[in-house]
């Protein structure tokens, strides 16, 4: 049974209790009665006995827990971030909808994501609890945690800039996740470059085609920002940054670390942005 089927059935320990369980339970309209320690003790059907079978079954369960936690935390925290300055703008709603459109969600999953976003806007939303539980479920999956933060930073740029209130909430999330502020600042710079590049593509009237093209006339400063390096970086440093980012954002690797399969298109877009930025820098430098 997939991670989503187990959410609906209430059998997945990752969202059966705690703050994540509360938001997901309300989102799918189902009351969960199992806590984090209530996950099944033996392989289903009794067909995977032995140490090897139990290990494989346990690995699958951990993967499904991470996928469910990522789904729940992503949209509920995005809703909280949108509401932090007192109102939710049309741009912020459009960003959330755009993320959902990129994903191969069923109608039920899409409705649950919308409900999670709405719960995040509630004044009583337990941001610290949700983020802490997400951290615990995705422990030893740093690339997945970073991808989660990238989505939230992207949402903060929905109105064209990150407000001080949004930055404060994001730094609070980083502290809970144990994500260094220095790395957060670098991510902000990189995501600002992506935001600028996307905006320029749309302003030229190219829409999705411009974004999917080569570099669509990407500004060189934005290309350096996306790669997380300065104009003074050596050729070797540029190549190293590119390879590291492509490895971190490789769709298959992210899925293997707990990204829900339905969200693979988001990972592909990130990889395309990184590739476009690298090609722009290569062109500019002539290497």
């Amino acid at each position: 049974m997939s991670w989503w089927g187990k959410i609906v059935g209430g059998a997945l320990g990752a969202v059966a209790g705690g703050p994540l369980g509360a938001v997901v339970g309300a989102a799918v309209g189902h009351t969960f009665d199992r806590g984090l320690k209530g996950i099944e003790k033996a392989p289903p059907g009794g067909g995977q006995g032995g140490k090897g079978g139990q290990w494989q079954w346990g690995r699958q369960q951990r993967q499904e827990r991470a996928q469910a936690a990522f789904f729940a935390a992503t949209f509920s925290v995005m809703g909280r971030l949108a509401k932090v300055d007192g109102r939710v703008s049309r741009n912020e709603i459009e960003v959330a909808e755009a993320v959902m459109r990129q994903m191969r969600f069923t109608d039920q999953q899409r409705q649950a994501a919308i409900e999670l976003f709405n719960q995040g806007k509630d004044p009583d939303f337990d941001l610290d609890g949700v983020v802490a539980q997400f951290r615990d479920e995705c422990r030893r999956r740093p690339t997945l945690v970073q991808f989660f933060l990238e989505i939230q930073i992207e949402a903060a740029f929905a109105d064209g800039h990150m407000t001080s209130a949004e930055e404060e909430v994001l730094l609070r999330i980083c502290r809970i996740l144990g994500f260094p502020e220095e790395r957060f600042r670098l991510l902000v710079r990189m995501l600002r470059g992506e935001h600028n590049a996307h905006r320029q593509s749309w302003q030229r009237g190219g829409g999705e085609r411009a974004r999917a093209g080569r570099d669509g006339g990407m500004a060189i400063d934005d290309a350096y920002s996306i790669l997380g390096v300065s104009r003074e970086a050596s050729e070797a440093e540029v190549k190293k940054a590119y390879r590291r980012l492509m490895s971190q954002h490789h769709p298959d690797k992210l899925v293997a670390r707990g990204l829900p399969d339905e969200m693979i298109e988001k990972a592909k877009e990130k990889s395309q942005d990184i590739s476009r930025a690298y090609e722009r820098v290569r062109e500019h430098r002539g290497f």
Side-chain angles (χ1 to χ4, degrees):
M1 183 186 295
S2 70
W3 68 274
W4 176 250
K6 289 190 177 181
I7 284 180
V8 175
L12 189 62
V15 292
L20 282 176
V23 295
V24 174
V28 302
H30 185 90
T31 302
F32 294 111
D33 58 4
R34 299 190 184 194
L36 279 172
K37 297 181 179 179
I39 198 166
E40 297 91 331
K41 300 299 183 182
Q48 299 184 39
K51 291 183 178 179
Q54 290 177 356
W55 183 85
Q56 288 291 344
W57 177 81
R59 183 170 180 269
Q60 178 184 343
Q61 294 299 305
R62 290 190 295 273
Q63 178 80 349
E64 290 172 344
R65 289 165 68 102
Q67 289 174 325
F70 190 94
F71 173 80
T74 292
F75 292 104
S76 60
V77 172
M78 192 184 297
R80 177 67 181 132
L81 199 59
K83 186 68 173 179
V84 71
D85 54 4
R87 66 181 187 86
V88 180
S89 71
R90 182 64 238 174
N91 286 341
E92 288 167 328
I93 295 173
E94 287 175 354
V95 165
E97 291 176 342
V99 173
M100 294 177 201
R101 282 196 301 272
Q102 285 180 309
M103 303 171 189
R104 300 188 296 259
F105 282 172
T106 64
D107 290 342
Q108 190 180 30
Q109 287 172 318
R110 177 179 170 80
Q111 189 56 48
I114 292 172
E115 177 58 30
L116 285 165
F117 183 85
N118 289 334
Q119 288 186 58
K121 296 187 299 182
D122 192 295
D124 295 328
F125 175 67
D126 185 3
L127 175 66
D128 290 5
V130 164
V131 175
Q133 192 174 359
F134 168 73
R135 175 201 64 206
D136 294 343
E137 292 300 331
C138 296
R139 205 176 289 277
R140 293 186 295 278
R141 299 170 191 255
T143 54
L144 191 65
V145 170
Q146 177 172 310
F147 195 63
F148 164 80
L149 281 171
E150 289 176 8
I151 293 176
Q152 303 305 326
I153 295 170
E154 182 179 320
F157 279 123
D159 291 329
H161 67 283
M162 180 185 297
T163 67
S164 58
E166 289 168 334
E167 181 181 26
E168 183 179 342
V169 169
L170 286 168
L171 284 170
R172 176 176 163 188
I173 291 171
C174 286
R175 286 192 291 271
I176 297 171
L177 293 174
F179 195 87
E181 182 174 344
E182 181 180 358
R183 287 179 59 195
F184 166 75
R185 300 290 181 190
L186 178 60
L187 284 184
V188 169
R189 178 189 169 202
M190 294 164 66
L191 270 295
R192 183 180 288 112
E194 284 188 19
H195 176 80
N196 290 340
H198 289 180
R199 183 183 59 190
Q200 291 162 7
S201 293
W202 282 105
Q203 287 175 343
R204 286 192 300 272
E208 291 297 333
R209 287 187 301 173
R211 287 173 62 176
R214 293 179 182 174
D215 60 51
M218 181 187 292
I220 189 62
D221 285 340
D222 292 334
Y224 279 111
S225 293
I226 291 170
L227 295 177
V229 297
S230 69
R231 278 176 171 265
E232 291 71 36
S234 67
E235 182 176 325
E237 289 171 331
V238 171
K239 291 180 177 180
K240 182 179 180 180
Y242 166 70
R243 291 171 184 146
R244 182 183 67 252
L245 289 171
M246 289 299 288
S247 177
Q248 290 174 342
H249 295 86
H250 193 287
D252 292 340
K253 289 185 178 180
L254 280 169
V255 169
R257 286 167 173 76
L259 183 75
D261 294 338
E262 294 85 350
M263 302 176 84
I264 196 171
E265 291 302 320
K266 185 65 180 174
K268 287 180 179 178
E269 183 192 74
K270 298 287 293 184
S271 295
Q272 289 168 358
D273 285 338
I274 294 164
S275 182
R276 287 173 54 217
Y278 180 62
E279 290 303 319
R280 180 70 180 92
V281 172
R282 283 187 62 193
E283 176 190 14
H284 181 256
R285 290 195 173 198
F287 69 81

